[in-house]
Amino acid sequence: MSQASMVPVLEITDLHVSVGEKEILRGVSLTVGEGEKVAIMGPNGSGKTTLSNVLLGKPGYRIDQGSIRFMGQDLSSLSTHERAQLGLSLVSQYPQEVEGVDLKDLVGAALSARGLDLDGVESRVANEARKIGFSESLLGRWVNVDLSGGEKKRLETLLLSLVPARLAVLDELDSGLDIDALRQVSQRIEDLSSSNSMAVVAITHYSRLLKTLTVSRVLVLAHGLFVTEGGPELAEELETTGYRDYTGKGTPTEDIFPF
Ligand SMILES: Nc1ncnc2c1ncn2[C@@H]1O[C@H](COP(=O)(O)OP(=O)(O)O)[C@@H](O)[C@H]1O
Ligand SMILES: [Mg+2]
């Protein structure tokens, strides 16, 4: 089938989203094809996390206009777990701690919910943990509880490798990761994308993620709108110029990257 005739994995059309009186997304459109990897960059507060939350159906956000289709289905009537079962997966900016549930239970429940085979789950978990540099001594802990920021991101990547996804939304996967960890997790996601045709939407502030994760496009979100789009080189340009061309405020880079 040609690329043009394929149903896109994700199709966001003219999406307007508010919280209370505040309009956060003001007409966002984005189409992502099967196995396609794109990056979203943009100043703090521009609506990147809001977009990922709305994709997953986090309560509190109101869709005023527009639509989101995933695997050909309108997402608005689907609960978060139904979206996940369809193959939508989020690596959150701040991974949630889940007390009382260990990784093996979580993976087992996720695979069962998808009607997938549970045989050898423990050895699969251990094998994937090794690939991602996630210490086996941490596998018995409750999900994300008492893990460092970097360990949490490794664990989230481990989950992605164990529970099949059609689209992974990565919200600042790179934050809190040292250089080696960043290379390992981004390489694992790159490999998953190649082997399983998993599409990726990577929200990031840094072009270094894109050294390993090879995106076809970089989109810039500012004030709730995509204001420009380019190839991977745009990420490097933005590290030099900041977002002043797009925010209209002459924002210096230090204000955008305060850490
Ligand atoms: N649940 C919420 N309640 C109130 N305001 C929110 C909520 N979620 C996001 N916002 C506001 O929306 C704007 C965009 O936030 P966010 O999507 O987190 O931006 P980014 O991820 O691009 O830094 C910010 O002004 C933020 O305070
Ligand atoms: Mg954010």
Side-chain angles (χ1 to χ4, degrees), residues 48-49 93 171-172:
K48 304 181 298 297
T49 294
Q93 189 168 0
D171 194 358
E172 298 197 27

Side-chain angles (χ1 to χ4, degrees), residues 54-68:
V54 171
L55 283 174
L56 265 290
K58 185 174 178 184
Y61 297 93
R62 192 178 64 246
I63 296 183
D64 298 317
Q65 196 178 315
S67 66
I68 310 172

Side-chain angles (χ1 to χ4, degrees), residues 218-258:
V218 173
L219 297 103
V220 177
L221 190 72
H223 299 303
L225 285 173
F226 284 127
V227 289
T228 194
E229 180 178 334
E233 70 289 346
L234 178 58
E236 292 190 18
E237 272 171 54
L238 288 168
E239 277 191 5
T240 314
T241 62
Y243 295 108
R244 61 178 172 266
D245 293 346
Y246 308 109
T247 59
K249 290 182 180 168
T251 316
T253 308
E254 305 84 69
D255 289 352
I256 297 165
F257 304 124

Side-chain angles (χ1 to χ4, degrees), residues 19 22 24 43-51 60-61 93 171-172:
V19 174
K22 184 173 172 178
I24 301 172
N44 290 326
S46 57
K48 304 181 298 297
T49 294
T50 297
L51 179 61
Y61 297 93
Q93 189 168 0
D171 194 358
E172 298 197 27

